[in-house]
Amino acid sequence: MASVNKVILIGHLGKDPEVRHLEGGNSVANFTMATNEYFKDKQGTRVERTEWHNISAWRGLAELAEKYLRKGQQVYVEGRIRTRQYQDKENQTRYITEIVADEISLLGQRPGAAPTTPATADASAVAEAPVTFRQEPELDQLPF
Amino acid sequence: MASVNKVILIGHLGKDPEVRHLEGGNSVANFTMATNEYFKDKQGTRVERTEWHNISAWRGLAELAEKYLRKGQQVYVEGRIRTRQYQDKENQTRYITEIVADEISLLGQRPGAAPTTPATADASAVAEAPVTFRQEPELDQLPF
Amino acid sequence: MASVNKVILIGHLGKDPEVRHLEGGNSVANFTMATNEYFKDKQGTRVERTEWHNISAWRGLAELAEKYLRKGQQVYVEGRIRTRQYQDKENQTRYITEIVADEISLLGQRPGAAPTTPATADASAVAEAPVTFRQEPELDQLPF
Amino acid sequence: MASVNKVILIGHLGKDPEVRHLEGGNSVANFTMATNEYFKDKQGTRVERTEWHNISAWRGLAELAEKYLRKGQQVYVEGRIRTRQYQDKENQTRYITEIVADEISLLGQRPGAAPTTPATADASAVAEAPVTFRQEPELDQLPF
DNA sequence: TTTT
DNA sequence: TTTT
């Protein structure tokens, strides 16, 4: 039956993306991203709560994430929730919930201003780079 | 800093909501909800993958969830991702990711068609009930 | 610069889709879709306000819309806002705002229950039809 | 029946908000906001298309928009589509589609960096200002 | 009328 | 581990 599983996040990267190249030719980039909520506690004090999201970007998006995303950057991520299980060191089943990215946009800065952009020539290349990346859809639905 | 943490789900309830009344007067309803993805595997066979989401609805939304939501119903849920930790039986820290609902709508049927609606008088009351519920915002941000 | 233009609608079709085949081989389906808001007026009376949305679906989505969507059906539409101008009969410039669909899902029923499904053989074909349609992205960005 | 009418925009303001104070005590801020799409035309040339959105923010949001939003700023706007009619100078019925804002967030800059922030004292006040504004919901549904 |  |  028809269903919808959609996530929209705006926040800052907690670390540089880490890219792994899988057997079979697939690649995946993982990074974390923080969103913040504010509320008043029972004493009326303003409290901040940070939520950390695990983002995974596959194939073409992985390469773009590796190339353009850096710790501290503000990004828009659209994707879907996926919980997968794995075995921990004691061989117990554990669960981790991730956001599989379908679209990533760089916000709030010139892409040329990326912290690790090395040199002038590269920087101008980056400055002209697109700042919205979308997953290629035929590839978007491989089993993983 | 400004951030956005938004989830939009359409799917079917996996079970009736379970409501707990907390000390301090708060109440919370928990239920699960399935969304489905379809993709072709490497052999070209159509594969279905079901994702189960843990939904929590607080206070006024909890009462409405208890009253109107039943296993199998199709619902729209808008909310935000929250991961909380707890101690398991071996006293190890575990994490669970939930969707805290801000809005719930009943889809695909008149609410009067709810499976457990008992009697005529009640059913007509239900039939006139609103089918979109929103969290009252001042209450939406208590610490939990 | 990075930007986002996203619309999410759930409502019922006001009429069957009308499909036009354009020179150049493109096709487009147009239909209207209603959403409802409820509020209390100053006298405290509950008032309903219906908003009518103009939806346009292109190419592959147009064909699927023509085949599966019918007046009265409840659908999920994800898309983007587009305002275009045209000349009216008095040759004055007028504007119309439409939602260009990127994804359409049938809600609240089996597709086999579509009102105009003609015969058993077709109905079983429809019953197995996918109920979520997505625009093919390479085609999603032709000028129109 | 349950329905959803949701818009999510990220873009830049085309002009400073204009605030009007209505009889009855309500106020409304109007501004425009641009989003951009890129596609390749039939010759393979990269083309940019700009979409202009009319945003209206009511009551508390109007005041915050007036205070904190300026031409050129990048913002996140969440809201709903509303088409209203009016009579033009020739007394003909015309339609305008607007986005009624429910939430506005400032993106991509320190709020203290607002172009028209006048002086040090004010700037520090702005720097501590919240950067996400939400409509108060009880007020969100007055007839207009 | 924004932004790159 | 981000940002303010």
Side-chain angles (χ1 to χ4, degrees), chain D residues 42-116:
Chain D
K42 287 170 183 177
Q43 287 75 40
T45 316
R46 193 173 186 252
V47 180
E48 176 176 358
R49 187 186 191 283
T50 298
E51 187 72 38
W52 285 100
H53 308 271
N54 301 303
I55 314 292
S56 70
W58 289 79
R59 289 166 295 267
L61 265 191
E63 292 161 33
L64 292 164
E66 181 175 37
K67 195 165 174 184
Y68 294 113
L69 300 189
R70 292 292 176 274
K71 175 179 178 173
Q73 278 184 316
Q74 189 182 36
V75 292
Y76 168 90
V77 170
E78 188 177 326
R80 50 194 192 278
I81 300 173
R82 178 164 298 171
T83 299
R84 58 181 173 83
Q85 45 178 272
Y86 64 97
Q87 306 303 117
D88 70 7
K89 304 160 220 163
E90 285 88 33
N91 213 33
Q92 290 204 302
T93 301
R94 298 250 181 179
Y95 297 87
I96 181 170
T97 298
E98 298 172 312
I99 308 306
V100 180
D102 290 314
E103 182 171 333
I104 301 177
S105 290
L106 276 59
L107 299 178
Q109 59 178 3
R110 316 279 138 62
T116 61

Side-chain angles (χ1 to χ4, degrees), chain A residues 16-32:
Chain A
D16 288 0
E18 290 176 3
V19 181
R20 287 178 301 133
H21 298 274
L22 311 179
E23 59 248 59
N26 276 341
S27 56
V28 57
N30 290 286
F31 59 92
T32 56

